[in-house]
Amino acid sequence: MHQGLQPGTLLRERYEILSLIGQGGMGAVYKASDRRLPGRLCAVKEILPPPGPGAGALSHTQEQFLREASTLARLDHPNLPKVSDYFALSPHDADAESAGLTQNRDYLVMDYVPGQDLHQVVQQARREQRFLDQRQVLGWMAQLCDALIYLHEQEPPVLHRDIKPGNIKLTPQGRIKLVDFGLVKP
């Protein structure tokens, strides 16, 4: 099982880990504070190396992650989080040693998106035995479609490949953000 980064861990003398946002089989996403830009919160996505000793598998994962980072970094749309940094740490880096990392890790830094995902919004409405407002839901879907049109108009087109309520965040301002591009494919 992956030993996650602990709150207070500092990466690149810049990103202070505040808490775990989510974790899956390929890595974890953390809420972090950007120490160079006080007050800025960001999401730091950590990719775990694949299990097993194969250097080829590690190289493939790192290439795929760099491709994801490069693809996402060139995107600029109000319904997508903006990528601001990408870096790798090896066990010999001071940051990796202080965090107790024993394997190579790749990181992607992007805007932190506050709010609930649509899965949480639907579950909350269900618990409260109420329906979501149809006009509001149609507005959310219009925003999502706008983001998808933007992605598909890129050259080459960008495919998200994992669109589901859990990957669509609703900000406190009512804006939809499509997140978790872990399966992105240009």
Side-chain angles (χ1 to χ4, degrees):
M1 183 69 177
H2 166 54
Q3 178 77 19
L5 297 174
Q6 297 302 309
T9 301
L10 190 61
L11 300 175
R12 302 274 300 237
E13 297 182 15
R14 180 172 185 175
Y15 307 107
E16 181 180 356
I17 301 301
L18 301 176
S19 62
L20 177 69
I21 295 173
Q23 186 171 358
M26 295 298 292
V29 179
Y30 301 91
K31 180 178 178 181
S33 175
D34 186 337
R35 285 191 159 183
R36 286 192 201 155
L37 300 169
R40 178 180 181 257
L41 295 177
C42 52
V44 176
K45 182 176 182 178
E46 175 186 47
I47 297 299
L48 299 176
L58 175 61
S59 176
H60 175 73
T61 300
Q62 289 173 323
E63 288 172 16
Q64 181 179 345
F65 190 61
L66 178 58
R67 188 169 44 253
E68 175 188 348
S70 299
T71 298
L72 295 177
R74 66 182 169 86
L75 301 177
D76 187 12
H77 189 276
N79 300 108
L80 303 173
K82 187 72 180 150
V83 170
S84 57
D85 199 1
Y86 163 83
F87 58 94
L89 294 177
S90 74
H92 308 293
D93 295 325
D95 286 347
E97 286 180 19
S98 67
L101 302 180
T102 58
Q103 297 175 299
N104 293 330
R105 301 283 166 85
D106 293 294
Y107 297 89
L108 184 65
V109 181
M110 62 191 85
D111 293 339
Y112 170 72
V113 180
Q116 294 182 304
D117 64 48
L118 290 190
H119 179 74
Q120 294 167 322
V121 170
V122 168
Q123 293 303 317
Q124 181 178 347
R126 184 175 288 157
R127 281 191 303 275
E128 296 171 359
Q129 298 182 0
R130 63 178 173 81
F131 291 102
L132 296 172
D133 180 74
Q134 183 179 11
R135 254 186 247 136
Q136 190 175 42
V137 172
L138 289 173
W140 297 341
M141 293 307 97
Q143 291 180 56
L144 177 62
C145 288
D146 192 43
L148 292 173
I149 290 167
Y150 171 79
L151 290 171
H152 297 172
E153 287 177 342
Q154 298 302 300
E155 190 55 51
V158 176
L159 304 179
H160 185 283
R161 300 189 329 158
D162 195 23
I163 296 172
K164 59 186 179 186
N167 287 341
I168 303 168
K169 298 271 299 233
L170 177 62
T171 70
Q173 297 77 26
R175 182 170 297 281
I176 289 294
K177 296 272 189 173
L178 181 58
V179 299
D180 196 357
F181 280 75
L183 299 175
V184 71
K185 186 169 185 79

